[in-house]
């Protein structure tokens, strides 16, 4: 290949070394540019084995963002799965679950000294506790993981049978909500210790999955040649701050016509994009609600401001959003940092949940987004024209590093927090700070 001096692919040519003929590479990135060339079915991440494939390949840049879309899932270790008993059983848990009580007794007899020394439990007591946990797993009415996490975060204790004073991976201390924030916030908690497990389920090429449960037009790639009963995963430990909003106030606020209209704009744009990429029926049951925009925007505002106060870089702080799209009526945000090394356990972030520290941080976060250096373009949504999933949001006020956001910096609108007198939109936290509407 030689460059004839032009800038861009229109000036690039493939040159034959034998006869000297050349072919322009203009349009090489179009979908049908390699029509007629067959795929050889090589999957290098699985070894040398190939598969039969009659599709035509496409040209992508080596560093293109659509070359690889990981499909990951994550969960927090919560009671009763975060205690010392679970840690002692460890990798034998899958064997224990499938065994009878008599077989469990044989499997665990070797650990009897550990149970007695670390837990003060006899083998029969351990077997009884295991049976309670297995019954909980088998319960058809068991709620989803996000709901279980939310319950433990707002209660600071497990909603299921547990062994007292033995939890090593989950520690939550409820805090007094500052007086000025009581009308808006129902719960404030210091998450002193948490453990998160992140697993890779699959990945896709070219097309991003429609949702975590529906690949849509995308094809899920195998991670192994034969099906396995495990997934590659990493566990990280950290700390954080949890906030749950006043459910009654949220329900009343999200029913306001102006608020519903803004949420509907984002929801329609999102569904239109999914249909364009994946075809009819790809939108599933995932809806962009005013509650989701509120919680997600609040999370980003807090992450950016907390990074200035607690010493962590914004890229090392993450979010977990708890809203009713997760399966039930929830309205919470967990801001946390986690790492496979000691960075996630320094205590600087969890300490910000102390009431005397949290109130100025929270008010400061709202005041920092009251005005944006890109206003009035930002507040009117003009800077988000290329990203139709956002309204009043840009890099100057709301966007954070991609590694910090669960939703790839989408579904953001700071007007949901502070409101706008010009648009007649009432912000949920309007009146918390001394600033007037944007």
């Amino acid at each position: 290949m030689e460059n004839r001096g032009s800038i861009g692919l229109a000036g690039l040519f493939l040159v034959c070394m034998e006869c000297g003929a050349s072919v322009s590479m203009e349009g090489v990135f179009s979908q049908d540019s390699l029509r007629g060339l067959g795929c050889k079915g090589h999957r290098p991440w699985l070894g040398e084995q190939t598969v039969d494939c009659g599709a035509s390949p496409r040209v992508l840049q080596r560093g293109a963002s659509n070359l690889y879309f990981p499909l990951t899932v994550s969960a927090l270790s919560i009671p009763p799965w975060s205690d010392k008993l679970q840690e002692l059983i460890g990798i034998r848990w899958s064997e224990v679950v499938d065994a009878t009580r008599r077989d469990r007794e044989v499997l665990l007899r070797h650990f009897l000294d550990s149970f007695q020394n670390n837990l003060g439990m006899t083998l029969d007591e351990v077997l009884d506790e295991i049976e309670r946990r297995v019954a909980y797993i088998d319960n058809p009415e068991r709620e989803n993981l996000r709901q279980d996490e939310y319950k433990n975060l707002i209660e600071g204790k497990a909603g299921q049978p547990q062994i007292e004073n033995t939890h090593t991976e989950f520690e939550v201390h409820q805090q007094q909500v500052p007086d000025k924030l009581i009308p808006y916030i129902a719960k404030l908690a210091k998450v002193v210790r948490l453990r998160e497990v992140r697993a890779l389920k699959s990945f896709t090429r070219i097309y991003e999955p429609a949702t975590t449960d529906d690949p849509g037009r995308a094809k899920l790639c195998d991670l192994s040649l034969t099906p396995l009963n495990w997934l590659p995963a990493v566990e990280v430990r950290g700390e954080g701050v949890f906030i749950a909003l006043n459910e009654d106030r949220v329900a009343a606020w999200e029913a306001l016509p102006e608020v519903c209209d803004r949420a509907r704009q984002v929801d329609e744009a999102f569904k239109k994009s999914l249909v364009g990429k994946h075809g009819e029926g790809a939108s599933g049951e995932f809806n962009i609600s005013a509650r989701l925009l509120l919680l997600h925007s609040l999370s980003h505002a807090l992450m950016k401001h907390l990074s200035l106060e607690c010493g962590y870089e914004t890229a090392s702080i993450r979010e977990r959003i708890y809203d009713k799209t997760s399966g039930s009526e929830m309205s919470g945000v967990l801001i946390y940092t986690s790492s496979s090394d000691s960075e996630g356990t320094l205590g600087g972030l969890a300490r910000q949940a102390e009431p005397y520290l949290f109130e100025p941080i929270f008010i400061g976060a709202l005041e920092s987004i009251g005005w944006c250096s890109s206003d009035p373009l930002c507040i009117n949504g003009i800077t988000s024209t290329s990203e139709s999933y956002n309204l009043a949001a840009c890099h100057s006020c709301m966007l954070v590093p991609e590694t910090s956001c669960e939703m790839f910096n989408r579904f953001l609108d700071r007007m949901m927090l502070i409101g706008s007198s010009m648009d007649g939109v009432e912000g949920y936290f309007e009146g918390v700070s001394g600033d007037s509407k944007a």
Side-chain angles (χ1 to χ4, degrees):
M1 181 187 297
E2 65 173 348
N3 191 335
R4 298 296 180 82
S6 301
I7 298 177
L9 290 174
L12 295 178
F13 296 83
L14 287 174
V15 179
C16 177
M17 300 300 293
E18 295 294 330
C19 66
S22 62
V23 178
S24 173
M25 292 184 65
E26 182 177 5
V28 71
F29 288 110
S30 62
Q31 185 169 349
D32 299 326
S33 62
L34 299 183
R35 183 176 294 277
L37 296 180
C39 174
K40 295 183 180 180
H42 289 309
R43 297 182 294 175
W45 67 93
L46 296 179
E48 298 297 326
Q49 184 174 347
T50 61
V51 295
D52 294 331
C53 180
S56 296
R58 287 181 58 177
V59 177
L60 293 178
Q61 289 184 339
R62 183 184 293 271
S65 59
N66 63 338
L67 185 62
Y68 175 79
F69 290 106
L71 187 60
T72 61
V73 292
S74 71
L76 301 181
S77 293
I78 56 175
W81 317 111
S82 60
D83 61 16
K84 193 69 175 178
L85 173 60
Q86 204 70 32
E87 181 182 332
L88 290 173
I89 297 175
I91 60 174
R92 288 188 171 271
W93 176 253
S94 58
E95 300 177 51
V96 170
V97 170
D98 297 330
T100 64
R101 183 181 178 100
R102 184 177 183 82
D103 291 337
R104 290 171 189 161
E105 184 175 352
V106 175
L107 285 169
L108 300 178
R109 187 170 295 279
H110 300 291
F111 301 93
L112 181 58
D113 290 341
S114 295
F115 295 144
Q116 292 177 338
N117 295 335
N118 292 282
L119 304 175
M121 300 176 67
T122 66
L123 184 56
D124 285 336
E125 290 173 334
V126 171
L127 294 173
D128 291 340
E129 178 62 28
I130 290 174
E131 287 185 0
R132 284 195 292 270
R133 298 185 183 194
V134 172
Y136 171 61
I137 294 174
D138 294 337
N139 183 4
E141 298 180 358
R142 185 165 58 97
E143 296 161 335
N144 61 47
L145 289 176
R146 283 290 170 109
Q147 176 66 13
D148 289 345
E149 291 175 12
Y150 186 71
K151 280 188 174 182
N152 279 273
L153 287 167
I154 62 175
E155 296 173 3
K157 56 186 171 71
Q160 300 297 329
Q162 59 175 304
I163 301 172
E164 297 294 337
N165 302 320
T166 59
H167 294 280
T168 59
E169 305 289 1
F170 185 82
E171 185 178 348
V172 176
H173 299 168
Q174 297 297 327
Q175 305 294 306
Q176 176 65 44
V177 178
D179 293 341
K180 191 172 184 179
L181 303 180
I182 287 178
Y184 310 92
I185 297 177
K187 293 284 185 177
L188 172 62
K190 178 196 297 186
V191 185
V192 179
R193 186 180 295 109
L194 62 81
R195 172 179 174 268
E196 181 191 14
V197 178
R198 304 171 192 161
L200 176 67
K201 292 177 61 178
S202 182
F203 68 92
T204 65
R205 306 282 197 193
I206 302 177
Y207 300 106
E208 181 183 3
T211 65
T212 54
D213 299 319
D214 178 18
R217 191 177 177 185
K219 302 294 184 182
L220 297 180
C221 297
D222 296 329
L223 296 181
S224 60
L225 291 173
T226 57
L228 302 174
N229 62 354
W230 58 273
L231 293 172
V234 60
E235 64 176 29
V236 291
R237 290 170 173 80
E239 45 159 325
V241 176
F242 173 75
I243 305 162
L245 302 184
N246 186 316
E247 184 61 40
D248 292 337
R249 185 180 179 90
V250 171
W253 170 83
E254 65 183 351
L256 297 175
E258 296 81 5
V259 173
C260 292
D261 183 62
R262 290 187 70 83
R264 184 165 53 249
Q265 293 179 47
V266 181
D267 188 53
E268 290 176 354
F270 175 65
K271 286 182 167 55
K272 182 179 179 181
S273 176
L274 284 181
V275 171
K277 293 178 181 178
H278 302 283
E280 293 292 338
S283 59
E285 299 179 356
F286 183 70
N287 298 307
I288 311 303
S289 63
R291 180 185 301 235
L292 176 61
L293 292 175
L294 169 66
L295 292 170
H296 197 207
S297 301
L298 173 62
S299 173
H300 278 226
L302 285 174
M303 277 194 289
K304 291 173 74 75
H305 205 71
L306 279 167
S307 68
L308 302 176
E309 300 291 337
C310 67
Y312 289 108
E313 293 185 357
T314 309
S316 66
I317 301 177
R318 297 172 63 91
E319 67 179 2
R320 287 180 84 79
I321 308 298
Y322 299 90
D323 76 300
K324 61 182 177 183
T325 60
S326 302
S328 61
E329 294 287 344
M330 298 184 286
S331 55
V333 172
L334 172 64
I335 309 297
Y336 68 103
T337 182
S338 58
S339 172
S340 56
D341 57 23
S342 61
E343 184 181 3
T345 59
L346 297 177
L349 180 57
R351 183 173 178 268
Q352 308 309 313
E354 297 286 347
Y356 73 96
L357 292 173
F358 182 77
E359 181 176 348
I361 287 174
F362 192 87
I363 294 175
L366 295 179
E367 291 178 342
S368 68
I369 62 169
W371 296 99
C372 173
S373 60
S374 296
D375 281 339
L377 300 180
C378 177
I379 197 66
N380 291 324
I382 297 175
T383 55
S384 295
T385 302
S386 60
E387 177 52 88
S388 57
Y389 304 153
N390 290 336
L391 291 177
C394 70
H395 284 282
S396 299
C397 57
M398 294 299 295
L399 273 60
V400 298
E402 294 285 351
T403 54
S404 301
C405 180
E406 279 193 309
M407 304 175 189
F408 307 102
N409 275 323
R410 302 178 300 185
F411 317 134
L412 296 166
D413 183 10
R414 62 190 174 99
M415 198 181 289
M416 294 293 188
L417 301 176
I418 59 175
S420 171
S421 56
M422 295 181 60
D423 295 272
V425 177
E426 180 181 337
Y428 179 83
F429 293 104
E430 193 174 304
V432 172
S433 66
D435 292 346
S436 59
K437 291 184 180 181

